[in-house]
PDB file of all heavy atoms in Angstrom:
ATOM      1  N   GLN D 254      99.388 117.229 105.868  1.00  0.00           N
ATOM      2  CA  GLN D 254      98.818 118.049 106.936  1.00  0.00           C
ATOM      3  C   GLN D 254      97.556 117.353 107.440  1.00  0.00           C
ATOM      4  O   GLN D 254      96.592 117.180 106.699  1.00  0.00           O
ATOM      5  CB  GLN D 254      98.473 119.442 106.410  1.00  0.00           C
ATOM      6  CG  GLN D 254      97.688 120.314 107.357  1.00  0.00           C
ATOM      7  CD  GLN D 254      98.417 120.604 108.668  1.00  0.00           C
ATOM      8  OE1 GLN D 254      97.977 120.154 109.719  1.00  0.00           O
ATOM      9  NE2 GLN D 254      99.516 121.314 108.578  1.00  0.00           N
ATOM     10  N   LYS D 256      94.160 116.897 109.609  1.00  0.00           N
ATOM     11  CA  LYS D 256      93.100 117.753 110.142  1.00  0.00           C
ATOM     12  C   LYS D 256      91.936 116.904 110.649  1.00  0.00           C
ATOM     13  O   LYS D 256      91.587 115.890 110.044  1.00  0.00           O
ATOM     14  CB  LYS D 256      92.574 118.705 109.061  1.00  0.00           C
ATOM     15  CG  LYS D 256      93.552 119.778 108.605  1.00  0.00           C
ATOM     16  CD  LYS D 256      93.743 120.848 109.666  1.00  0.00           C
ATOM     17  CE  LYS D 256      94.601 121.989 109.150  1.00  0.00           C
ATOM     18  NZ  LYS D 256      94.882 122.986 110.219  1.00  0.00           N
ATOM     19  N   GLY D 261      83.346 118.021 107.522  1.00  0.00           N
ATOM     20  CA  GLY D 261      83.850 117.753 106.181  1.00  0.00           C
ATOM     21  C   GLY D 261      84.540 118.921 105.509  1.00  0.00           C
ATOM     22  O   GLY D 261      85.013 118.801 104.381  1.00  0.00           O
ATOM     23  N   VAL D 262      84.625 120.062 106.193  1.00  0.00           N
ATOM     24  CA  VAL D 262      85.283 121.235 105.612  1.00  0.00           C
ATOM     25  C   VAL D 262      86.796 121.036 105.611  1.00  0.00           C
ATOM     26  O   VAL D 262      87.384 120.635 106.614  1.00  0.00           O
ATOM     27  CB  VAL D 262      84.919 122.510 106.388  1.00  0.00           C
ATOM     28  CG1 VAL D 262      85.747 123.697 105.888  1.00  0.00           C
ATOM     29  CG2 VAL D 262      83.428 122.809 106.241  1.00  0.00           C
ATOM     30  N   VAL D 263      87.414 121.303 104.472  1.00  0.00           N
ATOM     31  CA  VAL D 263      88.864 121.208 104.342  1.00  0.00           C
ATOM     32  C   VAL D 263      89.429 122.602 104.635  1.00  0.00           C
ATOM     33  O   VAL D 263      89.434 123.485 103.765  1.00  0.00           O
ATOM     34  CB  VAL D 263      89.274 120.749 102.926  1.00  0.00           C
ATOM     35  CG1 VAL D 263      90.773 120.521 102.863  1.00  0.00           C
ATOM     36  CG2 VAL D 263      88.520 119.488 102.534  1.00  0.00           C
ATOM     37  N   LYS D 264      89.881 122.802 105.850  1.00  0.00           N
ATOM     38  CA  LYS D 264      90.332 124.139 106.259  1.00  0.00           C
ATOM     39  C   LYS D 264      91.568 124.562 105.483  1.00  0.00           C
ATOM     40  O   LYS D 264      92.533 123.813 105.378  1.00  0.00           O
ATOM     41  CB  LYS D 264      90.608 124.159 107.760  1.00  0.00           C
ATOM     42  CG  LYS D 264      89.358 123.947 108.610  1.00  0.00           C
ATOM     43  CD  LYS D 264      89.683 124.013 110.091  1.00  0.00           C
ATOM     44  CE  LYS D 264      88.421 123.810 110.931  1.00  0.00           C
ATOM     45  NZ  LYS D 264      88.713 123.812 112.378  1.00  0.00           N
ATOM     46  N   ASN D 265      91.514 125.770 104.938  1.00  0.00           N
ATOM     47  CA  ASN D 265      92.626 126.256 104.123  1.00  0.00           C
ATOM     48  C   ASN D 265      93.535 127.224 104.880  1.00  0.00           C
ATOM     49  O   ASN D 265      94.275 127.995 104.281  1.00  0.00           O
ATOM     50  CB  ASN D 265      92.099 126.938 102.861  1.00  0.00           C
ATOM     51  CG  ASN D 265      91.217 128.136 103.178  1.00  0.00           C
ATOM     52  OD1 ASN D 265      90.938 128.436 104.345  1.00  0.00           O
ATOM     53  ND2 ASN D 265      90.773 128.835 102.138  1.00  0.00           N
ATOM     54  N   ARG D 266      93.471 127.158 106.199  1.00  0.00           N
ATOM     55  CA  ARG D 266      94.312 128.040 107.016  1.00  0.00           C
ATOM     56  C   ARG D 266      94.603 127.385 108.359  1.00  0.00           C
ATOM     57  O   ARG D 266      93.907 126.460 108.782  1.00  0.00           O
ATOM     58  CB  ARG D 266      93.638 129.390 107.213  1.00  0.00           C
ATOM     59  CG  ARG D 266      92.293 129.346 107.923  1.00  0.00           C
ATOM     60  CD  ARG D 266      91.560 130.680 107.782  1.00  0.00           C
ATOM     61  NE  ARG D 266      91.153 130.909 106.395  1.00  0.00           N
ATOM     62  CZ  ARG D 266      91.417 132.028 105.733  1.00  0.00           C
ATOM     63  NH1 ARG D 266      92.054 133.023 106.308  1.00  0.00           N
ATOM     64  NH2 ARG D 266      91.008 132.167 104.471  1.00  0.00           N
ATOM     65  N   THR D 267      95.650 127.848 108.989  1.00  0.00           N
ATOM     66  CA  THR D 267      96.017 127.365 110.310  1.00  0.00           C
ATOM     67  C   THR D 267      95.859 128.488 111.320  1.00  0.00           C
ATOM     68  O   THR D 267      95.969 129.663 110.971  1.00  0.00           O
ATOM     69  CB  THR D 267      97.474 126.841 110.326  1.00  0.00           C
ATOM     70  OG1 THR D 267      97.781 126.333 111.619  1.00  0.00           O
ATOM     71  CG2 THR D 267      98.465 127.952 109.983  1.00  0.00           C
ATOM     72  N   LYS D 279      96.719 131.752 106.192  1.00  0.00           N
ATOM     73  CA  LYS D 279      96.216 130.911 105.104  1.00  0.00           C
ATOM     74  C   LYS D 279      97.356 130.096 104.517  1.00  0.00           C
ATOM     75  O   LYS D 279      98.481 130.577 104.364  1.00  0.00           O
ATOM     76  CB  LYS D 279      95.579 131.786 104.019  1.00  0.00           C
ATOM     77  CG  LYS D 279      94.856 130.999 102.935  1.00  0.00           C
ATOM     78  CD  LYS D 279      94.102 131.927 101.999  1.00  0.00           C
ATOM     79  CE  LYS D 279      93.334 131.143 100.938  1.00  0.00           C
ATOM     80  NZ  LYS D 279      92.578 132.031 100.026  1.00  0.00           N
ATOM     81  N   TYR D 280      97.058 128.834 104.188  1.00  0.00           N
ATOM     82  CA  TYR D 280      98.072 127.976 103.588  1.00  0.00           C
ATOM     83  C   TYR D 280      98.397 128.449 102.174  1.00  0.00           C
ATOM     84  O   TYR D 280      97.529 128.925 101.438  1.00  0.00           O
ATOM     85  CB  TYR D 280      97.580 126.536 103.511  1.00  0.00           C
ATOM     86  CG  TYR D 280      97.413 125.851 104.846  1.00  0.00           C
ATOM     87  CD1 TYR D 280      96.205 125.255 105.198  1.00  0.00           C
ATOM     88  CD2 TYR D 280      98.465 125.784 105.748  1.00  0.00           C
ATOM     89  CE1 TYR D 280      96.051 124.614 106.418  1.00  0.00           C
ATOM     90  CE2 TYR D 280      98.321 125.157 106.968  1.00  0.00           C
ATOM     91  CZ  TYR D 280      97.110 124.575 107.298  1.00  0.00           C
ATOM     92  OH  TYR D 280      96.954 123.955 108.509  1.00  0.00           O
ATOM     93  N   LYS D 281      99.662 128.274 101.791  1.00  0.00           N
ATOM     94  CA  LYS D 281     100.096 128.506 100.417  1.00  0.00           C
ATOM     95  C   LYS D 281     100.172 127.153  99.703  1.00  0.00           C
ATOM     96  O   LYS D 281     100.358 126.111 100.338  1.00  0.00           O
ATOM     97  CB  LYS D 281     101.456 129.195 100.396  1.00  0.00           C
ATOM     98  CG  LYS D 281     101.448 130.591 100.996  1.00  0.00           C
ATOM     99  CD  LYS D 281     102.813 131.244 100.929  1.00  0.00           C
ATOM    100  CE  LYS D 281     103.791 130.526 101.859  1.00  0.00           C
ATOM    101  NZ  LYS D 281     105.112 131.217 101.910  1.00  0.00           N
ATOM    102  N   LEU D 282     100.040 127.176  98.393  1.00  0.00           N
ATOM    103  CA  LEU D 282      99.972 125.931  97.631  1.00  0.00           C
ATOM    104  C   LEU D 282     101.216 125.062  97.759  1.00  0.00           C
ATOM    105  O   LEU D 282     101.162 123.856  97.511  1.00  0.00           O
ATOM    106  CB  LEU D 282      99.706 126.226  96.150  1.00  0.00           C
ATOM    107  CG  LEU D 282      98.266 126.609  95.789  1.00  0.00           C
ATOM    108  CD1 LEU D 282      98.161 126.947  94.308  1.00  0.00           C
ATOM    109  CD2 LEU D 282      97.294 125.477  96.140  1.00  0.00           C
ATOM    110  N   PHE D 285     102.342 122.136 101.624  1.00  0.00           N
ATOM    111  CA  PHE D 285     102.340 120.679 101.742  1.00  0.00           C
ATOM    112  C   PHE D 285     101.659 120.108 100.510  1.00  0.00           C
ATOM    113  O   PHE D 285     101.207 120.856  99.632  1.00  0.00           O
ATOM    114  CB  PHE D 285     101.643 120.212 103.040  1.00  0.00           C
ATOM    115  CG  PHE D 285     100.252 120.747 103.247  1.00  0.00           C
ATOM    116  CD1 PHE D 285      99.153 120.073 102.761  1.00  0.00           C
ATOM    117  CD2 PHE D 285     100.053 121.933 103.943  1.00  0.00           C
ATOM    118  CE1 PHE D 285      97.861 120.565 102.953  1.00  0.00           C
ATOM    119  CE2 PHE D 285      98.772 122.438 104.137  1.00  0.00           C
ATOM    120  CZ  PHE D 285      97.681 121.754 103.651  1.00  0.00           C
ATOM    121  N   ASP D 286     101.562 118.787 100.428  1.00  0.00           N
ATOM    122  CA  ASP D 286     101.011 118.138  99.234  1.00  0.00           C
ATOM    123  C   ASP D 286      99.556 117.708  99.406  1.00  0.00           C
ATOM    124  O   ASP D 286      98.718 117.985  98.556  1.00  0.00           O
ATOM    125  CB  ASP D 286     101.868 116.925  98.860  1.00  0.00           C
ATOM    126  CG  ASP D 286     103.311 117.311  98.602  1.00  0.00           C
ATOM    127  OD1 ASP D 286     103.540 118.201  97.756  1.00  0.00           O
ATOM    128  OD2 ASP D 286     104.210 116.741  99.252  1.00  0.00           O
ATOM    129  N   TYR D 287      99.268 117.030 100.524  1.00  0.00           N
ATOM    130  CA  TYR D 287      97.918 116.501 100.728  1.00  0.00           C
ATOM    131  C   TYR D 287      97.473 116.687 102.176  1.00  0.00           C
ATOM    132  O   TYR D 287      98.283 116.683 103.103  1.00  0.00           O
ATOM    133  CB  TYR D 287      97.858 115.000 100.392  1.00  0.00           C
ATOM    134  CG  TYR D 287      98.155 114.699  98.957  1.00  0.00           C
ATOM    135  CD1 TYR D 287      99.446 114.392  98.552  1.00  0.00           C
ATOM    136  CD2 TYR D 287      97.149 114.741  97.994  1.00  0.00           C
ATOM    137  CE1 TYR D 287      99.736 114.126  97.225  1.00  0.00           C
ATOM    138  CE2 TYR D 287      97.428 114.482  96.663  1.00  0.00           C
ATOM    139  CZ  TYR D 287      98.716 114.177  96.283  1.00  0.00           C
ATOM    140  OH  TYR D 287      98.996 113.933  94.965  1.00  0.00           O
ATOM    141  N   TYR D 288      96.174 116.845 102.325  1.00  0.00           N
ATOM    142  CA  TYR D 288      95.567 116.767 103.648  1.00  0.00           C
ATOM    143  C   TYR D 288      95.356 115.292 103.998  1.00  0.00           C
ATOM    144  O   TYR D 288      95.140 114.458 103.117  1.00  0.00           O
ATOM    145  CB  TYR D 288      94.187 117.430 103.658  1.00  0.00           C
ATOM    146  CG  TYR D 288      94.163 118.926 103.528  1.00  0.00           C
ATOM    147  CD1 TYR D 288      94.068 119.531 102.278  1.00  0.00           C
ATOM    148  CD2 TYR D 288      94.185 119.740 104.666  1.00  0.00           C
ATOM    149  CE1 TYR D 288      94.005 120.903 102.152  1.00  0.00           C
ATOM    150  CE2 TYR D 288      94.118 121.125 104.543  1.00  0.00           C
ATOM    151  CZ  TYR D 288      94.024 121.707 103.290  1.00  0.00           C
ATOM    152  OH  TYR D 288      93.962 123.066 103.160  1.00  0.00           O
ATOM    153  N   LEU D 290      92.502 114.144 106.117  1.00  0.00           N
ATOM    154  CA  LEU D 290      91.311 114.690 106.770  1.00  0.00           C
ATOM    155  C   LEU D 290      90.577 113.574 107.493  1.00  0.00           C
ATOM    156  O   LEU D 290      90.021 112.675 106.858  1.00  0.00           O
ATOM    157  CB  LEU D 290      90.407 115.346 105.726  1.00  0.00           C
ATOM    158  CG  LEU D 290      89.323 116.295 106.232  1.00  0.00           C
ATOM    159  CD1 LEU D 290      89.949 117.583 106.763  1.00  0.00           C
ATOM    160  CD2 LEU D 290      88.341 116.617 105.119  1.00  0.00           C
ATOM    161  N   TYR D 300      92.118 111.961 101.628  1.00  0.00           N
ATOM    162  CA  TYR D 300      93.369 112.620 101.266  1.00  0.00           C
ATOM    163  C   TYR D 300      93.231 113.570 100.067  1.00  0.00           C
ATOM    164  O   TYR D 300      93.786 113.318  98.999  1.00  0.00           O
ATOM    165  CB  TYR D 300      94.434 111.567 100.971  1.00  0.00           C
ATOM    166  CG  TYR D 300      94.684 110.643 102.139  1.00  0.00           C
ATOM    167  CD1 TYR D 300      94.001 109.428 102.241  1.00  0.00           C
ATOM    168  CD2 TYR D 300      95.578 110.981 103.149  1.00  0.00           C
ATOM    169  CE1 TYR D 300      94.207 108.578 103.326  1.00  0.00           C
ATOM    170  CE2 TYR D 300      95.795 110.142 104.231  1.00  0.00           C
ATOM    171  CZ  TYR D 300      95.102 108.942 104.312  1.00  0.00           C
ATOM    172  OH  TYR D 300      95.309 108.109 105.386  1.00  0.00           O
ATOM    173  N   PRO D 301      92.524 114.664 100.228  1.00  0.00           N
ATOM    174  CA  PRO D 301      92.464 115.660  99.152  1.00  0.00           C
ATOM    175  C   PRO D 301      93.786 116.423  99.055  1.00  0.00           C
ATOM    176  O   PRO D 301      94.470 116.618 100.066  1.00  0.00           O
ATOM    177  CB  PRO D 301      91.330 116.585  99.599  1.00  0.00           C
ATOM    178  CG  PRO D 301      91.352 116.490 101.095  1.00  0.00           C
ATOM    179  CD  PRO D 301      91.728 115.070 101.406  1.00  0.00           C
ATOM    180  N   SER D 302      94.147 116.843  97.858  1.00  0.00           N
ATOM    181  CA  SER D 302      95.365 117.644  97.720  1.00  0.00           C
ATOM    182  C   SER D 302      95.132 119.028  98.312  1.00  0.00           C
ATOM    183  O   SER D 302      93.994 119.424  98.594  1.00  0.00           O
ATOM    184  CB  SER D 302      95.757 117.765  96.244  1.00  0.00           C
ATOM    185  OG  SER D 302      94.979 118.761  95.599  1.00  0.00           O
ATOM    186  N   ILE D 303      96.203 119.772  98.484  1.00  0.00           N
ATOM    187  CA  ILE D 303      96.089 121.104  99.077  1.00  0.00           C
ATOM    188  C   ILE D 303      95.205 122.013  98.231  1.00  0.00           C
ATOM    189  O   ILE D 303      94.639 122.984  98.735  1.00  0.00           O
ATOM    190  CB  ILE D 303      97.497 121.724  99.276  1.00  0.00           C
ATOM    191  CG1 ILE D 303      97.409 122.984 100.143  1.00  0.00           C
ATOM    192  CG2 ILE D 303      98.174 121.980  97.935  1.00  0.00           C
ATOM    193  CD1 ILE D 303      98.754 123.544 100.534  1.00  0.00           C
ATOM    194  N   LYS D 304      95.027 121.688  96.960  1.00  0.00           N
ATOM    195  CA  LYS D 304      94.174 122.488  96.077  1.00  0.00           C
ATOM    196  C   LYS D 304      92.715 122.483  96.519  1.00  0.00           C
ATOM    197  O   LYS D 304      91.936 123.348  96.129  1.00  0.00           O
ATOM    198  CB  LYS D 304      94.281 121.985  94.634  1.00  0.00           C
ATOM    199  CG  LYS D 304      95.653 122.134  94.011  1.00  0.00           C
ATOM    200  CD  LYS D 304      95.661 121.705  92.567  1.00  0.00           C
ATOM    201  CE  LYS D 304      95.385 120.227  92.410  1.00  0.00           C
ATOM    202  NZ  LYS D 304      95.465 119.776  90.993  1.00  0.00           N
ATOM    203  N   PHE D 305      92.322 121.498  97.335  1.00  0.00           N
ATOM    204  CA  PHE D 305      90.941 121.413  97.801  1.00  0.00           C
ATOM    205  C   PHE D 305      90.698 122.215  99.078  1.00  0.00           C
ATOM    206  O   PHE D 305      89.611 122.149  99.657  1.00  0.00           O
ATOM    207  CB  PHE D 305      90.547 119.951  98.029  1.00  0.00           C
ATOM    208  CG  PHE D 305      90.325 119.173  96.764  1.00  0.00           C
ATOM    209  CD1 PHE D 305      91.364 118.451  96.188  1.00  0.00           C
ATOM    210  CD2 PHE D 305      89.085 119.186  96.136  1.00  0.00           C
ATOM    211  CE1 PHE D 305      91.162 117.736  95.020  1.00  0.00           C
ATOM    212  CE2 PHE D 305      88.874 118.478  94.970  1.00  0.00           C
ATOM    213  CZ  PHE D 305      89.917 117.751  94.404  1.00  0.00           C
ATOM    214  N   GLY D 306      91.701 122.959  99.529  1.00  0.00           N
ATOM    215  CA  GLY D 306      91.528 123.775 100.719  1.00  0.00           C
ATOM    216  C   GLY D 306      90.352 124.732 100.569  1.00  0.00           C
ATOM    217  O   GLY D 306      90.218 125.425  99.558  1.00  0.00           O
ATOM    218  N   GLY D 307      89.481 124.769 101.570  1.00  0.00           N
ATOM    219  CA  GLY D 307      88.302 125.627 101.520  1.00  0.00           C
ATOM    220  C   GLY D 307      87.059 124.908 101.024  1.00  0.00           C
ATOM    221  O   GLY D 307      85.951 125.430 101.141  1.00  0.00           O
ATOM    222  N   CYS D 308      87.226 123.700 100.480  1.00  0.00           N
ATOM    223  CA  CYS D 308      86.080 122.929  99.990  1.00  0.00           C
ATOM    224  C   CYS D 308      85.454 122.117 101.124  1.00  0.00           C
ATOM    225  O   CYS D 308      85.988 122.056 102.226  1.00  0.00           O
ATOM    226  CB  CYS D 308      86.521 121.980  98.872  1.00  0.00           C
ATOM    227  SG  CYS D 308      87.156 122.816  97.400  1.00  0.00           S
ATOM    228  N   CYS D 309      84.342 121.489 100.823  1.00  0.00           N
ATOM    229  CA  CYS D 309      83.670 120.622 101.789  1.00  0.00           C
ATOM    230  C   CYS D 309      83.499 119.244 101.165  1.00  0.00           C
ATOM    231  O   CYS D 309      83.045 119.131 100.024  1.00  0.00           O
ATOM    232  CB  CYS D 309      82.316 121.198 102.187  1.00  0.00           C
ATOM    233  SG  CYS D 309      81.435 120.203 103.411  1.00  0.00           S
ATOM    234  N   ILE D 310      83.894 118.220 101.898  1.00  0.00           N
ATOM    235  CA  ILE D 310      83.743 116.843 101.446  1.00  0.00           C
ATOM    236  C   ILE D 310      82.571 116.227 102.196  1.00  0.00           C
ATOM    237  O   ILE D 310      82.568 116.169 103.423  1.00  0.00           O
ATOM    238  CB  ILE D 310      85.033 116.055 101.675  1.00  0.00           C
ATOM    239  CG1 ILE D 310      86.148 116.648 100.801  1.00  0.00           C
ATOM    240  CG2 ILE D 310      84.832 114.574 101.347  1.00  0.00           C
ATOM    241  CD1 ILE D 310      87.507 115.996 100.995  1.00  0.00           C
ATOM    242  N   TYR D 322      81.275 117.287  96.656  1.00  0.00           N
ATOM    243  CA  TYR D 322      82.367 116.320  96.665  1.00  0.00           C
ATOM    244  C   TYR D 322      81.989 115.191  97.611  1.00  0.00           C
ATOM    245  O   TYR D 322      81.554 115.433  98.728  1.00  0.00           O
ATOM    246  CB  TYR D 322      83.675 116.965  97.125  1.00  0.00           C
ATOM    247  CG  TYR D 322      84.276 117.925  96.123  1.00  0.00           C
ATOM    248  CD1 TYR D 322      84.369 119.283  96.405  1.00  0.00           C
ATOM    249  CD2 TYR D 322      84.769 117.467  94.896  1.00  0.00           C
ATOM    250  CE1 TYR D 322      84.921 120.163  95.488  1.00  0.00           C
ATOM    251  CE2 TYR D 322      85.319 118.338  93.974  1.00  0.00           C
ATOM    252  CZ  TYR D 322      85.393 119.691  94.277  1.00  0.00           C
ATOM    253  OH  TYR D 322      85.938 120.562  93.378  1.00  0.00           O
ATOM    254  N   PHE D 327      88.058 110.244  97.684  1.00  0.00           N
ATOM    255  CA  PHE D 327      89.299 110.778  98.255  1.00  0.00           C
ATOM    256  C   PHE D 327      90.007 109.783  99.165  1.00  0.00           C
ATOM    257  O   PHE D 327      90.818 110.179 100.005  1.00  0.00           O
ATOM    258  CB  PHE D 327      88.994 112.051  99.061  1.00  0.00           C
ATOM    259  CG  PHE D 327      88.481 113.195  98.240  1.00  0.00           C
ATOM    260  CD1 PHE D 327      87.117 113.340  98.010  1.00  0.00           C
ATOM    261  CD2 PHE D 327      89.347 114.133  97.691  1.00  0.00           C
ATOM    262  CE1 PHE D 327      86.633 114.394  97.259  1.00  0.00           C
ATOM    263  CE2 PHE D 327      88.870 115.189  96.934  1.00  0.00           C
ATOM    264  CZ  PHE D 327      87.509 115.327  96.712  1.00  0.00           C
ATOM    265  N   THR D 331      94.554 112.336  96.330  1.00  0.00           N
ATOM    266  CA  THR D 331      93.668 112.749  95.236  1.00  0.00           C
ATOM    267  C   THR D 331      93.965 114.170  94.785  1.00  0.00           C
ATOM    268  O   THR D 331      93.871 115.115  95.567  1.00  0.00           O
ATOM    269  CB  THR D 331      92.193 112.652  95.682  1.00  0.00           C
ATOM    270  OG1 THR D 331      91.920 111.322  96.129  1.00  0.00           O
ATOM    271  CG2 THR D 331      91.256 113.010  94.538  1.00  0.00           C
ATOM    272  N   ASP D 332      94.303 114.313  93.500  1.00  0.00           N
ATOM    273  CA  ASP D 332      94.546 115.636  92.929  1.00  0.00           C
ATOM    274  C   ASP D 332      93.315 116.170  92.203  1.00  0.00           C
ATOM    275  O   ASP D 332      93.126 117.381  92.111  1.00  0.00           O
ATOM    276  CB  ASP D 332      95.719 115.576  91.945  1.00  0.00           C
ATOM    277  CG  ASP D 332      97.033 115.291  92.647  1.00  0.00           C
ATOM    278  OD1 ASP D 332      97.448 116.109  93.481  1.00  0.00           O
ATOM    279  OD2 ASP D 332      97.636 114.242  92.370  1.00  0.00           O
TER     280      ASP D 332
END
Side-chain angles (χ1 to χ4, degrees):
Q254 171 61 247
K256 292 288 186 185
V262 173
V263 186
K264 295 181 180 178
N265 61 357
R266 61 193 68 231
T267 182
K279 188 173 182 179
Y280 292 126
K281 296 181 292 185
L282 284 177
F285 54 89
D286 302 305
Y287 297 93
Y288 290 91
L290 196 70
Y300 302 93
S302 80
I303 191 172
K304 296 184 295 183
F305 286 93
C308 297
C309 181
I310 295 177
Y322 289 114
F327 295 89
T331 304
D332 293 298

